[in-house]
Amino acid sequence: MKRVGFFFAGFSAILLGFASQFFSTFFYIFFRKFFNILSLNHDSFNIDTGYIMIMYSVVLIFFMGFIYHHYLGGSFEVPSVSESYNWNIIGCFLLILPATQFIAGLVQIFYNIISPQVVENYEHIINDSGLGDINIITMQIYAIIFAPLAEELLFRGFALRMFKKSVPFWCANLLQALAFGLYHMNLVQGTYAFALGVLLGYICEGTGSIYFSMIYHIMFNLWGTLITEMATKISILQGFLGLLYVIMLLASPATFLLTKKAICTRRRNLCLQQKLEYHNMI
């Protein structure tokens, strides 16, 4: 019976995310109106979605971080910057990043072929949220920094650990990725978010540290938010990225193997360190 409870608790991550968004929106609007009344300003005010999303992320980061650390056994120990195997993992991230971005682009092309209306709806959502405008600083800060931190704690920190209490890791990883995809509430973004979620779940589990999935998520969003947007305005950069996508996609089997090897090296070294610490304590 507990397994069933943990299973549904994993999907509750979606509800927790939406509840946090609702709370942050209400809080923001309430206090904007309250300060308008105090200042005797009865004019309407513009709602900055970026501020709301940053508030929502901060709420999730603190709330889910507390649950992750105190109730789910998660660790916030920062990986050592002096260990080369940690930097090897980040280096591998740079190699697989273009391939994962290219796959996200292929998803959009696929839906554009079979159902252009789906892509139009996706573009409307992106533009309405402000993510399509590189000049809206608050949305860029949210997308690149705060969203990855909050979503990693919510899905890789909370949902994945809940699912692991009811099913094996491979199944738990697929389930948390499915929840991550559904959370984005549109077919295009949800599809590649599912694929990204599978990779992030493997990174988090394989490295034994949520910081690595956070780093990759930040890198992915940075590329998709700023670099891709800049490429649409600079033709030379667009051509370079196109060539890079093709090369790295062809090399992706090798780069994924390198990433797997780097992650295994970290796990092996951590096990050796734990054994040494244990022997020193005896």
Side-chain angles (χ1 to χ4, degrees):
M1 199 66 183
K2 283 186 177 181
R3 287 177 178 268
V4 176
F6 287 130
F7 179 86
F8 286 106
F11 280 109
S12 72
I14 300 173
L15 298 177
L16 288 170
F18 288 144
S20 179
Q21 289 184 25
F22 175 80
F23 168 79
S24 300
T25 303
F26 175 81
F27 185 85
Y28 176 85
I29 293 174
F30 174 80
F31 275 91
R32 282 295 300 270
K33 286 187 175 181
F34 178 74
F35 284 117
N36 270 18
I37 293 171
L38 287 181
S39 61
L40 301 178
N41 181 6
H42 300 291
D43 297 334
S44 61
F45 56 88
N46 294 324
I47 296 176
D48 190 324
T49 309
Y51 284 120
I52 293 175
M53 298 309 287
I54 289 174
M55 286 173 57
Y56 133 77
S57 298
V58 170
V59 169
L60 269 186
I61 289 167
F62 280 98
F63 179 64
M64 299 312 303
F66 180 80
I67 292 176
Y68 171 73
H69 182 63
H70 291 281
Y71 294 101
L72 298 179
S75 173
F76 284 121
E77 182 179 351
V78 179
S80 174
V81 296
S82 62
E83 300 292 350
S84 60
Y85 52 79
N86 289 329
W87 290 105
N88 289 341
I89 293 173
I90 296 174
C92 289
F93 286 172
L94 291 172
L95 294 176
I96 65 175
L97 184 62
T100 52
Q101 281 290 339
F102 186 67
I103 291 170
L106 287 179
V107 169
Q108 187 168 343
I109 293 171
F110 171 76
Y111 282 117
N112 199 31
I113 293 172
I114 65 170
S115 180
Q117 186 62 42
V118 171
V119 178
E120 288 179 14
N121 292 337
Y122 162 70
E123 290 175 346
H124 283 311
I125 292 171
I126 295 297
N127 291 329
D128 291 344
S129 67
L131 285 173
D133 190 346
I134 197 171
N135 296 314
I136 301 179
I137 302 299
T138 52
M139 281 305 296
Q140 304 309 324
I141 293 173
Y142 159 72
I144 296 168
I145 299 174
F146 287 96
L149 300 182
E151 289 174 356
E152 288 310 303
L153 285 168
L154 184 59
F155 291 98
R156 262 61 67 183
F158 174 75
L160 179 59
R161 285 176 176 259
M162 283 297 171
F163 285 129
K164 280 171 59 182
K165 292 177 183 290
S166 61
V167 293
F169 167 71
W170 68 268
C171 186
N173 196 31
L174 292 175
L175 288 171
Q176 65 82 19
L178 175 62
F180 184 52
L182 292 172
Y183 184 66
H184 286 79
M185 294 295 288
N186 68 84
L187 195 55
V188 176
Q189 204 173 12
T191 301
Y192 69 72
F194 168 77
L196 177 65
V198 172
L199 176 61
L200 291 170
Y202 170 74
I203 290 171
C204 183
E205 181 73 9
T207 60
S209 173
I210 200 168
Y211 286 116
F212 284 100
S213 60
M214 286 177 173
I215 290 170
Y216 191 83
H217 200 157
I218 288 171
M219 292 165 66
F220 184 88
N221 282 16
L222 173 65
W223 189 296
T225 304
L226 292 182
I227 297 178
T228 304
E229 180 68 20
M230 289 169 60
T232 61
K233 299 177 180 179
I234 305 173
S235 57
I236 296 176
L237 181 58
Q238 191 172 8
F240 172 76
L241 285 181
L243 179 62
L244 180 64
Y245 283 150
V246 173
I247 294 172
M248 297 313 295
L249 184 66
L250 293 173
S252 59
T255 55
F256 277 106
L257 285 174
L258 282 173
T259 305
K260 182 179 179 180
K261 183 179 179 181
I263 289 174
C264 289
T265 301
R266 170 181 159 79
R267 295 286 291 193
R268 187 165 56 250
N269 279 276
L270 289 178
C271 287
L272 289 173
Q273 289 176 12
Q274 288 173 357
K275 287 180 180 179
L276 287 172
E277 289 173 1
Y278 175 76
H279 286 300
N280 289 334
M281 290 173 63
I282 297 175

